[in-house]
Amino acid sequence: MTMSAMSRKLVQTLAETISKQVEHFNKTEVECLIREFKVLLGEPGMGRAVNGLDRVKFRSILHNIFGMTDDMILDGVFRTFDKDNDSFVSMKEWIEGLSVFLRGTLDEKIKYCFHVYDLNNDNYISRDEMFHMLKNSLIRQPTEEDPDEGIKDLVEITLKKMDHDHDGRLSLADFEKAVREENLLLEAFGTCLPDMASIEAFEQCVFQKQL
Amino acid sequence: MGVLLTKAAQWTTASSGTGKLEFTPMNEFLLKGILCFVEQFNFQHPQEAEHVFEEPLQWITTLVASDFKTDYDISGDVQSQEKDSEGHSLLQLSPPTVCVRSFSQLCKLVHLAGDKKLEEVRACLEENRDPLVKILGPFFANIMERGTVHTQDQAKDSEVKVRLFHLLQNMDKQLLANLLEEISEWLDPTSVKNEVELLKQFCTEGEKKVLKTVRYTSDYEFSNGCRAPLWRQLHGEICYLIIEPYDSEDFYITCSNAGVFLNGVGEQSGYDRTSDVYKDLVTLLKSRSPHFAENINNQVQWNIDRFTVINKKHPYRCPLLLQVVKSTLICSLLFSKDPARAMQVETFSESSSESEEEDEQLERRPENNIDLPAEYWQIQKLVKYLKGGDQTATVLTLCAMMDLNLMQETCQLAIRDVGGLEVLINLLDTDEVKCKIGSLKILRKISNNVQICRTTVEMGGLRCIVKILDSPVKELKALAAETIANIARFRRARRTVRQYDGIKKLVKLLDCVPNLTRLTADQEKDVDVARCGALALWSCSKSTKNKEAIRKAGGIPLLGRLLKSPHENMLIPVVGTLQECASEVSYRIAIQTEGMIKDLVKNLSSDNDELQMHCASAIFKCAEDQETRDLVRKYRGLQPLVLLLGKAENKQLLAAATGAIWKCSISMENVAKLQEYKALEILVGLLSDQPEEVLVNVVGALGEFAQIPANRATIRKYGGIKPLVNLLTGTNQALLVNVTKAVGACATDKDNMAFIDSLDGVRLVWSLLKNPSTDVQSSAAWALCPCIENAKDAGEMVRSLVGGLELIVNLLKSTNNEVLASICAAITKIAKDKENLAVLTDHGVVPLLARLTNTSDDRLRYNLAGAIGHCCMWGSNRVSFGDTGAVAPLVHYLKSKDSAVHKSTAMALYQLSKDPNNCITMHEKGVVKILKCNGQESHIHSHQWLNKYC
């Protein structure tokens, strides 16, 4: 009883602080998200203190809750959530990530997606990275001499459309300009944002349960 | 007599033998055209009608001597009293042969023939294969050139001939133009055209060339897209090609509805087929040119289906027509083997229909053939990726497709031809929102092309698009609605939208609040969805059933709310829909009661021409209603309407604005207000050099303005009388109705009348009684009344119109009450002149009037009683009316609720009562009792005669 009262108080304080640092969520919502994070993390009585969600756990959560399946993209999403690069998504990182994930503005989402697609974190999406992300997106025709020809062509078509400064790779500026012209290009190299239905379901589940 | 035949006969002096005209719809159509021309000839071209033919037209007739009445000597052989300068009759009947030597006699004969007139025309044409030669003489062309060396008389004679020649020629052109329209119903040149365009590309492609050249034999393209001469189109032939392959001499090829075939290799053997019929050009070339066959396979995955698909859609609708035209005289002539003659037909049709087809033709022609190959392969590749890609690849590919020039026809058709349209439609059935958005973004553009629209509907795409209207994603809804707006341009598509409940869904999209000063991003999206919904409804509202469906779905108040939007791009589709729907009474009432007139008036002052036009057009349609007219005035709509008249260069806008002014001017208060803005002066200025749709409205408005006496003089002062009278020679029936009304209204002013008379206006109005439209007939007859009343020497004027009185009397046989009423009114005026009344009586006016007395139509009763009253005043007409039983029904008129009827009836009875027998009849029918019952003072003179005779 005292423990839970203590924890409640703690949660409230924590929520207060975080809600001041993170966009799009109010204090109550942050509170709910904290609780949900704890649930996702597993039971607290396990002894060892856990820093946060590891890659495997993170993947399975995104898979189960938001129906996202592409492992390569999920790695990118994990990398983007894990801001301090310590291989764990902490509670704060989780909530920060969700704020874009669930309620981000177009600007925020552009940056987010770009980061997901920038596999080696060099601030450019290169031909190789694109090829890598698209390599399973077309049915290969075994009859063709080079079964990857279609993908290579698709990469060239995409570069032609998005590479405004013609340096053979996409900078954030290139990406941003292309997406502003055509919003469909936001998730150009794979689904890395949840769809409307799963957002709604998640929010309803998390925010209403605790109210 | 046969005009088309006249021409046809010229083309085919080679073909001989006496053909019979089969009883086919096509012949019937042509014969009726010719008959109509002949019937009207006397009135429309009196001078030419008197021209004596070089040789008589001669044929075996079904008419007998007793069919001929006045104007003919019927002792022995029937001879017309009308004779040529040498005293020979212009019509001679020695049964069963009849000889006719002028159009005036032909025209009369046709009228005498009654029901059998079509038979007569047919017989005449069958037996006179060269009517033009007979009418104008074999050397009329020479005469036209040498005209000056002849004596005065002959010169005048040839001048008439030239005019006659032109008349016949015009008639020809019209009939042929109609024929052309008929043909395009079943010939589809598109697929051939596409194939030729593609083959042309293969002549230009570097090393891979498969053909040297591909060219049409004729640069001229008819409005239906065919290049074959008209008479070959009747055979189903579309165009001719000369294709130069690498391994053979030139191929001369005919493309027809049934397929393609050779006319010869190296040299052409006329139109004869010298090979099998192949389903398309590629198949033909493959079998005839090994080089082509070898290389084409390396080069393309040819979409052979294209041609066959199109052909399947038109499964030989031609045989019907072929059967129609086969062995008809005309077409046996048309099918002449003489190429020189064929050329004549071609050039001739060219001039006849060029003007109207020009725009359409330009639209059809692919914009730029040179970049086709690159784009074609590009498109084929992209479609391949669409077919084999996951969501990510699909979206990327769709985005790449958007960068193509989707408004270009070659691109649009290429997408369809490589199977892209099907994939795009399939994407709409998936759950992937992004794919659906991308697909719709492309469909919305390529659906600018009508062929794409049709294919989309045929593939069931419209069903998917309609379904998307229910999506929770606003962007999707908006795109779907926008695409529907493009596709629903033809009837079947509009019906499909309705059948899938699309109208209801579209109406639902309209539900938003458009005029908040500050909108959130979300509300802005709602407004955009509503705008797209309105665009789609606008397209759909062109079908009457959809108008009803929109109303039932509760669309009217929603449209009314959107009408308050401050944005033009919203207002245009909303007002567009409203004005389209205002053809229905229910909408006109709703527009008034929902307070939309105020907004419509407000937007008349917008600075967007299109919006102004739709507003004016809506007011035009709604202002039939008095209350609406008053509202337009109340909201100060009249001044902006007059201001719109200043935009005379935009004819559509001008037509809408003049229409609105016309309808508004039905209220005299509005006329007064319009006068303040000098509307009359401007309207008179619009009487010349305007298209008919403007003229109809301008003249309609003048007719209303002229109801006020002062305006009649004003119209004259501004020079409006002459152009009005000139318009009496037109052919547009709506225009003629209004012109006669306006002329009639102007004629109530004595000075105007003198002027109209000097312009020969009365004869022109009178000749309109011959117009086939009953509306024109009655309007002309009403107009004659003030003309006769106000003419200086009316009796003489009427007498000077040969055959005029007979015509009037004959119209009493009409079955249309409005015509009858107007003719009775005219007779009332004419009968004031005793001499003319005598002529009317000779033509049998009395029994015809008596026959009408059983009517229950008060308007007709009023005028009929007036006519009877006036016709009493000649000879034994009173007695005749009694004998023909006119008196008893007249007495019954006194029981009518209309006091005007009482008055004119009382007058008629007064006149009739001067015959004692009539008095007895009246008495028997209880006239005294009825009159006493009515007891109104308007019957003063009826009481007088009561006292006197009973």
Side-chain angles (χ1 to χ4, degrees), chain B residues 443-475:
Chain B
L443 283 172
R444 145 183 91 162
K445 292 217 172 135
I446 61 174
S447 56
N448 268 306
N449 182 310
V450 179
Q451 297 180 55
I452 297 284
C453 293
R454 289 191 188 275
T455 318
T456 309
V457 175
E458 273 157 26
M459 288 177 172
L462 203 46
R463 182 189 55 82
C464 305
I465 301 174
V466 168
K467 211 170 74 184
I468 291 178
L469 294 174
D470 285 333
S471 157
V473 184
K474 285 172 187 167
E475 190 181 2

Side-chain angles (χ1 to χ4, degrees), chain B residues 210-348:
Chain B
V210 292
L211 294 169
K212 277 187 192 159
T213 58
V214 176
R215 60 181 199 271
Y216 290 111
T217 56
S218 157
D219 283 337
Y220 181 74
E221 195 180 310
F222 284 87
S223 58
N224 57 7
C226 297
R227 289 168 194 261
L230 198 69
W231 60 287
R232 297 302 301 179
Q233 288 186 29
L234 289 168
H235 273 324
E237 290 176 7
I238 294 165
C239 63
Y240 310 102
L241 294 166
I242 302 172
I243 296 184
E244 199 183 340
Y246 276 95
D247 50 357
S248 166
E249 289 187 271
D250 294 0
F251 293 140
Y252 291 86
I253 296 174
T254 297
C255 303
S256 77
N257 215 29
V260 300
F261 55 82
L262 285 173
N263 298 119
V265 179
E267 59 168 356
Q268 190 177 6
S269 63
Y271 293 106
D272 294 336
R273 182 160 67 84
T274 63
S275 75
D276 293 336
V277 179
Y278 297 90
K279 62 175 178 173
D280 57 20
L281 286 167
V282 172
T283 322
L284 182 145
L285 289 169
K286 271 185 182 169
S287 83
R288 291 285 166 155
S289 160
H291 174 87
F292 180 88
E294 203 174 300
N295 290 288
I296 193 73
N297 285 338
N298 302 341
Q299 202 178 2
V300 263
Q301 261 184 303
W302 190 268
N303 188 358
I304 285 163
D305 295 341
R306 187 172 15 179
F307 193 69
T308 43
V309 164
I310 299 264
N311 261 350
K312 269 181 215 145
K313 270 182 265 156
H314 301 277
Y316 286 86
R317 271 192 274 158
C318 46
L320 173 98
L321 199 96
L322 273 183
Q323 166 238 316
V324 167
V325 295
K326 202 168 50 186
S327 87
T328 65
L329 182 51
I330 296 154
C331 296
S332 70
L333 305 176
L334 283 168
F335 293 162
S336 152
K337 290 276 190 289
D338 182 348
R341 306 259 178 239
M343 280 309 292
Q344 272 187 350
V345 189
E346 196 171 2
T347 45
F348 163 70

Side-chain angles (χ1 to χ4, degrees), chain A residues 137 139 153 161 182 187-188, chain B residues 381 385 388 390 392 403 441:
Chain A
S137 69
I139 295 172
D153 188 37
K161 192 168 171 66
E182 177 50 69
E187 295 176 81
Chain B
K381 197 174 66 185
Y385 297 158
D390 71 353
T392 307
D403 286 347
K441 278 187 172 172

Side-chain angles (χ1 to χ4, degrees), chain B residues 801-839:
Chain B
L801 301 165
V802 179
L805 291 173
E806 188 183 358
L807 177 58
I808 288 264
V809 174
N810 274 334
L811 277 174
L812 286 174
K813 293 170 187 159
S814 168
T815 49
N816 179 300
N817 275 356
E818 187 63 21
V819 172
L820 292 171
S822 64
I823 291 292
C824 286
I827 288 175
T828 311
K829 304 291 180 198
I830 294 168
K832 286 181 178 164
D833 179 278
K834 286 285 173 306
E835 212 171 312
N836 288 334
L837 176 52
V839 180

Side-chain angles (χ1 to χ4, degrees), chain A residues 104-120:
Chain A
T105 63
L106 184 60
D107 272 339
E108 290 166 339
K109 283 181 181 166
I110 289 173
K111 288 196 186 91
Y112 162 86
C113 289
F114 183 82
H115 204 249
V116 172
Y117 300 143
D118 178 13
L119 302 178
N120 61 3

